[in-house]
Amino acid sequence: MRMRSGNPTLNKKTFQNITRTGPIVKDDLMTISGTVDKTGICLAILLFAAYFTYGPNGTSYIFLGGFGGFAVAIATVFKKQWAPITAPLYAMLEGLFLGSISYMYGQMYEGIVFNAIILTVSILLSLLFAYKSGLIKATENFKLGVVAATGGIFLVYVFAIIASFFGISFSFLSPTNASMLSIGFSLFVVIIASLNLVLDFDFIEEGAEKGAPKYMEWYGAFGLLVTLIWLYIEILHLLAKLNSRK
């Protein structure tokens, strides 16, 4: 059994039950270059929306962007053929969310947002180069390890949310907790989120090899965007913790 990605939107079951309309033609097939183009469009939309909410009045968009983006993501996962519409919509909603929280972090620590953006882009480009050059290979053991670690992180966050309803807090998750345990956990999460990018690259490459329908380019862009947003947020948390030690 092959495991393609720890990202729940891009996994080994994604290419099952995908639908086509009409005969298969070359121009109707998923390609890597097409997915790159769609990813660029989604990132441009996200950045524009984030710029719109990056200010003192932008905090009112946190819930709209956060919950709206989550709802659209769920719809996209179950209706992949909607991706040409839902992927850009997801990018816009998450942009509203990211712009708002980025402003909040920026008010706490000067320069943290710029540093988080630079680190996110640097990690993306570095891992893309390492993947394309063969320095990092998405072997089955590699995939299994990343998927297991991603699942473990997800469970920690779920337990933390449930515990919060009973007045119990996991202090090491706080962005103001500068303990070595807290920083170590954030560093671990950043590493796992980064490695998920490798699996996402592998997923997109497989989609192109299998001749997936054209709309899967938008779905691939959507899945890659999910990982990048997670990585950016975790880098923000890590940088906030490091800055709070000063």
Side-chain angles (χ1 to χ4, degrees):
M1 182 177 294
R2 303 183 70 191
M3 305 186 72
R4 303 301 299 188
S5 175
N7 184 337
T9 66
L10 303 180
N11 56 53
K12 63 186 179 65
K13 296 182 179 179
T14 301
F15 295 113
Q16 298 177 6
N17 301 320
I18 57 177
T19 57
R20 295 181 180 274
T21 57
I24 299 176
V25 295
K26 183 177 180 181
D27 292 340
D28 192 40
L29 299 179
M30 178 183 183
T31 64
I32 294 177
S33 61
T35 306
V36 171
D37 292 340
K38 271 66 172 184
T39 302
I41 293 172
C42 288
L43 285 173
I45 294 172
L46 184 147
L47 291 174
F48 179 81
Y51 178 80
F52 175 77
T53 56
Y54 189 82
N57 298 324
T59 53
S60 58
Y61 292 92
I62 288 180
F63 291 106
L64 172 63
F67 289 105
F70 178 76
V72 171
I74 295 299
T76 307
V77 169
F78 286 99
K79 290 290 185 179
K80 299 176 182 62
Q81 59 269 35
W82 292 358
I85 297 175
T86 56
L89 179 58
Y90 173 78
M92 183 191 71
L93 291 168
E94 287 299 313
L96 297 177
F97 174 74
L98 291 181
S100 301
I101 64 169
S102 295
Y103 178 77
M104 295 170 60
Y105 275 92
Q107 293 300 107
M108 294 170 58
Y109 306 107
E110 183 178 358
I112 189 175
V113 174
F114 178 76
N115 291 336
I117 293 173
I118 293 299
L119 283 172
T120 302
V121 174
S122 298
I123 290 173
L124 170 64
L125 296 179
S126 297
L127 287 177
L128 179 59
F129 172 79
Y131 176 76
K132 296 300 292 182
S133 63
L135 294 176
I136 295 180
K137 296 182 179 180
T139 65
E140 295 306 312
N141 288 335
F142 178 87
K143 298 169 191 174
L144 181 61
V146 174
V147 170
T150 302
I153 293 169
F154 174 76
L155 289 178
V156 170
Y157 285 142
V158 170
F159 290 150
I161 293 173
I162 295 175
S164 67
F165 291 121
F166 299 94
I168 303 173
S169 63
F170 289 13
S171 60
F172 64 89
L173 295 178
S174 171
T176 58
N177 187 332
S179 68
M180 293 305 297
L181 172 62
S182 181
I183 292 175
F185 177 79
S186 285
L187 181 59
F188 172 74
V189 175
V190 167
I191 292 173
I192 297 303
S194 301
L195 293 179
N196 266 275
L197 289 172
V198 175
L199 303 191
D200 294 344
F201 300 151
D202 188 54
F203 165 89
I204 293 170
E205 190 172 61
E206 181 189 26
E209 291 173 353
K210 286 188 173 182
K214 197 70 172 178
Y215 66 79
M216 290 299 291
E217 293 178 350
W218 285 104
Y219 190 83
F222 157 74
L224 187 57
L225 203 63
V226 170
T227 302
L228 286 173
I229 291 170
W230 177 33
L231 176 61
Y232 171 74
I233 291 175
E234 295 300 341
I235 289 176
L236 270 182
H237 288 166
L238 176 59
L239 293 179
K241 293 175 181 181
L242 292 174
N243 275 275
S244 65
R245 293 178 65 89
K246 298 179 181 179

